[in-house]
């Protein structure tokens, strides 16, 4: 009997030791401060983390706990959002300003504390205050636990590829000017790959990202769209890529010669160096879905380049250039977005919940607002109106005195209402451009209106693009959850026929969905994470004028499904 007890105790200790070895506590310090860099012939002061652009990559394993001390030494208030991290029972660390916390003021600090749970792949972190995420961002690389492996052959090396935008201006001023004029922000001056604009831009011959490869080796490229307002096409001359994950969720292998990636999305691809020894350009250029519509949205038509250089390639070799997609190549974008599927049975795969508790049909698009005091509103017809985003004819307004999460936790009234409509208040022909003449639809009321749902309830949302102001592909990001993408299509969603298209077996999972230009997308998720969770357009120019909403998920029945109290250093408003 004593021997059996000893063996049982030894086995228990081994199990505990194995769990301890496979999960670690990782501590980092982020110093947010001014950094002077030179891009496009100009010295520019930017806001950056730890004196780098992009900022530091966080390399973790699934199950690890992260403790990140953020010291705001910049002149601006700021928060940091860990984009795509589920923040299971750690909502106080999610980061969106006035949703889960007030901003970290200049000279102050705050510690984020959370665990990576049942997610593997690539995510990223970025500022969640004004346009600062243009330069305040970095990769989150999530490896499997120790002694666990990828569901694909182990790559020779792993390479973060962060796609971004660059302004020859202070990005906070760019946003403030747009709000002051009631129009969209000025377009960026360049696109970037890992912080570099590439040799097609002025003074940038030596400011190009370069990656050296060995012939025959396979590399895992962790592609992140950290751009503020641009969907992007990504290509590598003469090379195919195999998609193996999106938004830190594994996919069935999908071979493609182009990756289409919206702001806030990540795509992991395997790249095999299987071409003749030489040099090959990688490129990123804009997918501008709203161009050519009545709204006439301007965009930057330029291309950023990096280069893949094979070991042994002569330095005099001229890199091969891929044929980049046209800026309005919606068929290519839609094909990529819709053909990805989840790896059923793979690590952390989640089956689709079949019973829905809360159905929502939500219109997503732009509209107008009465020009506020001290705003000129000269750039958008009718004169005297400002751009305003809305969902179901509600233009979301952030609280000012207390964050949503604080109001929920402390049961403070008057901060938000729970009357966000589950359906449009008026039904209309959503994708017909003639609706632009309907002024009541154009002008949506502004309020802090959210949806409250029960813990563990299943939410299904049909997001319907509208033609108000102009049709556009909207990248919608949900904090706190990954969701199944059941279907996507063009035109007005038809519940009779389009529900038959639902993929209930292996739909891709994401945290950011590109609602097709002039079309719709259907998502479904289980609200198993108590707290206040933001849902917004990841075009910062649209998010800043109200194209967003939020969910309050109530506490569960047990202590481990109840939101813990806020940390003592939570910033005050």
């Amino acid at each position: 009997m004593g021997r059996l007890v000893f063996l049982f105790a030894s086995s228990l200790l081994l199990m505990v030791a194995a769990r301890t070895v496979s999960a670690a506590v990782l501590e980092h310090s982020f110093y947010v401060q001014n950094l002077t860099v030179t891009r496009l012939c100009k010295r520019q002061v930017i806001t950056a983390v730890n004196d780098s652009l992009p900022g530091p990559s966080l390399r973790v394993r699934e199950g690890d706990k992260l403790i990140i001390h953020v010291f705001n030494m910049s002149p601006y208030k700021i928060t940091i959002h860990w984009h795509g991290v589920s923040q299971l029972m750690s909502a106080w660390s999610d980061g969106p300003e006035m949703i889960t916390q007030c901003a970290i003021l200049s000279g102050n600090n705050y510690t984020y504390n959370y665990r990576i749970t049942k997610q593997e792949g690539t995510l990223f972190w970025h500022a969640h205050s004004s346009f600062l995420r243009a330069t305040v961002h970095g990769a989150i690389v999530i490896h499997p636990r120790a002694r666990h492996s990828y569901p694909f052959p182990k790559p020779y090396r792993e390479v973060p590829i962060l796609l971004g935008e660059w302004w020859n201006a202070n990005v906070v001023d760019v946003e403030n000017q747009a709000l002051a004029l009631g129009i969209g922000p000025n377009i960026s001056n360049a696109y970037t790959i890992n912080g570099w604009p590439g040799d097609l831009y002025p003074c940038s011959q030596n400011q190009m990202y370069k990656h050296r490869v060995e012939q025959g080796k396979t590399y895992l490229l962790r592609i992140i769209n950290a751009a503020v307002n641009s969907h992007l096409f990504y290509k590598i001359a003469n090379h195919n890529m195999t998609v193996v994950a999106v938004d830190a969720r594994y996919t069935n292998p999908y071979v493609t010669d182009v990756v289409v990636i919206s702001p806030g999305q990540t795509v992991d691809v395997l790249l095999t160096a299987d071409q003749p020894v030489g040099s090959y350009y990688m490129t990123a250029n804009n997918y501008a879905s709203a161009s050519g519509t009545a709204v006439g949205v301007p965009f930057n038509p330029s291309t950023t380049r990096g280069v893949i250089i094979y070991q042994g390639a002569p330095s005099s070799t001229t890199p091969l250039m891929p044929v980049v997609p046209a800026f309005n190549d919606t068929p290519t974008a839609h094909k990529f977005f819709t053909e990805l599927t989840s790896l059923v049975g793979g690590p952390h795969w989640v089956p689709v919940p079949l019973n829905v508790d809360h159905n929502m049909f939500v219109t997503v698009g732009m509209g107008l607002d009465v020009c506020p005091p001290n705003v000129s509103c000269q750039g958008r017809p009718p004169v005297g109106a400002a751009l305003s985003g809305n969902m179901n004819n509600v233009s979301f307004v952030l609280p000012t005195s207390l964050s949503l999460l604080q109001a929920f936790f402390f049961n403070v009234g008057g901060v938000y209402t729970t009357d966000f409509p589950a359906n449009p208040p008026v039904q209309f022909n959503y994708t017909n451009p003639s609706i632009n003449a309907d002024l009541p639809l154009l002008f949506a009321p502004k309020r802090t209106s959210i949806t409250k749902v029960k813990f563990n309830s299943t939410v299904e949302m049909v997001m319907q693009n509208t033609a108000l102001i102009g049709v556009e592909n909207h990248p919608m990001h949900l904090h706190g959850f990954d969701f199944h993408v059941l279907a996507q299509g063009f035109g007005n969603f038809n519940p009779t026929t389009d529900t038959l298209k639902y993929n209930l077996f292996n739909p891709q999972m994401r945290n950011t969905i590109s609602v097709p230009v002039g079309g719709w997308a259907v998502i479904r998720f289980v609200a198993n994470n108590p707290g206040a969770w933001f849902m917004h357009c990841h075009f910062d120019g649209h998010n800043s004028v109200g194209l967003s909403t939020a969910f309050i998920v109530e506490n569960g029945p047990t202590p481990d499904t109840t939101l813990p109290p806020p940390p003592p250093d939570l910033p005050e408003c």
Side-chain angles (χ1 to χ4, degrees), residues 423-438:
N423 292 281
V426 178
Q427 294 187 5
F428 56 97
N429 187 352
Y430 306 110
T431 56
N432 186 340
S434 66
I435 59 177
N436 276 307
D438 194 331

Side-chain angles (χ1 to χ4, degrees), residues 210-461:
K210 299 178 180 179
H211 178 62
R212 298 187 179 276
V213 300
E214 293 184 32
Q215 191 177 41
K217 302 289 189 182
T218 296
Y219 298 78
L220 178 61
L221 304 186
R222 299 179 175 272
I223 308 168
I224 298 166
N225 188 345
V228 175
N229 287 319
S230 296
H231 308 276
L232 295 167
F233 294 110
Y234 176 83
K235 293 194 74 172
I236 301 173
N238 284 25
H239 287 75
N240 283 330
M241 296 168 280
T242 302
V243 178
V244 292
V246 294
D247 292 2
R249 292 289 181 178
Y250 291 117
T251 65
N252 286 307
Y254 179 77
V255 179
T256 179
D257 69 340
V258 59
V259 166
V260 193
I261 185 166
S262 295
Q265 292 184 334
T266 70
V267 180
D268 291 356
V269 302
L270 295 175
L271 171 73
T272 299
D274 57 4
Q275 295 300 302
V277 170
S279 296
Y280 302 85
Y281 279 120
M282 63 173 70
T283 60
N285 66 298
N286 200 317
Y287 166 47
S289 60
S291 57
T293 66
V295 70
V297 174
F299 70 98
N300 186 333
S302 65
T303 298
T304 179
R305 297 201 297 202
V307 65
I308 298 285
I309 303 172
Y310 278 62
Q311 182 176 313
S315 58
S316 59
T317 301
T318 300
L320 293 178
M321 178 69 180
V323 177
V324 301
F327 68 86
N328 57 355
D329 190 352
T330 292
T332 291
H334 189 66
K335 181 176 187 292
F336 182 86
F337 286 140
T338 56
E339 291 191 354
L340 299 172
T341 54
S342 283
L343 183 63
V344 174
H348 316 302
W349 170 70
V350 178
V352 181
L354 299 181
N355 297 315
V356 177
D357 303 298
H358 193 79
N359 281 288
M360 303 179 73
F361 184 97
V362 180
T363 56
V364 176
M366 299 300 292
L368 297 173
D369 187 26
V370 175
C371 193
N374 304 317
V375 176
S376 63
C377 296
Q378 297 300 309
R380 181 74 55 177
V383 172
L387 274 181
S388 177
N390 70 83
M391 299 176 69
N392 270 359
N393 206 42
V394 175
S395 187
F396 188 79
V397 178
L398 289 170
T400 56
S401 60
L402 207 64
S403 74
L404 283 184
L405 188 59
Q406 288 171 299
F408 165 61
F409 184 85
F410 293 108
N411 196 28
V412 177
V415 176
Y416 62 86
T417 61
T418 58
D419 58 352
F420 181 82
N423 292 281
V426 178
Q427 294 187 5
F428 56 97
N429 187 352
Y430 306 110
T431 56
N432 186 340
S434 66
I435 59 177
N436 276 307
D438 194 331
L439 291 182
L441 291 176
L442 284 170
F443 288 83
K446 287 188 171 292
R447 62 179 190 261
T448 310
S449 175
I450 62 97
T451 301
K452 181 180 279 190
V453 295
K454 298 289 186 182
F455 177 81
N456 228 29
S457 60
T458 297
V459 179
E460 179 174 302
M461 180 185 290

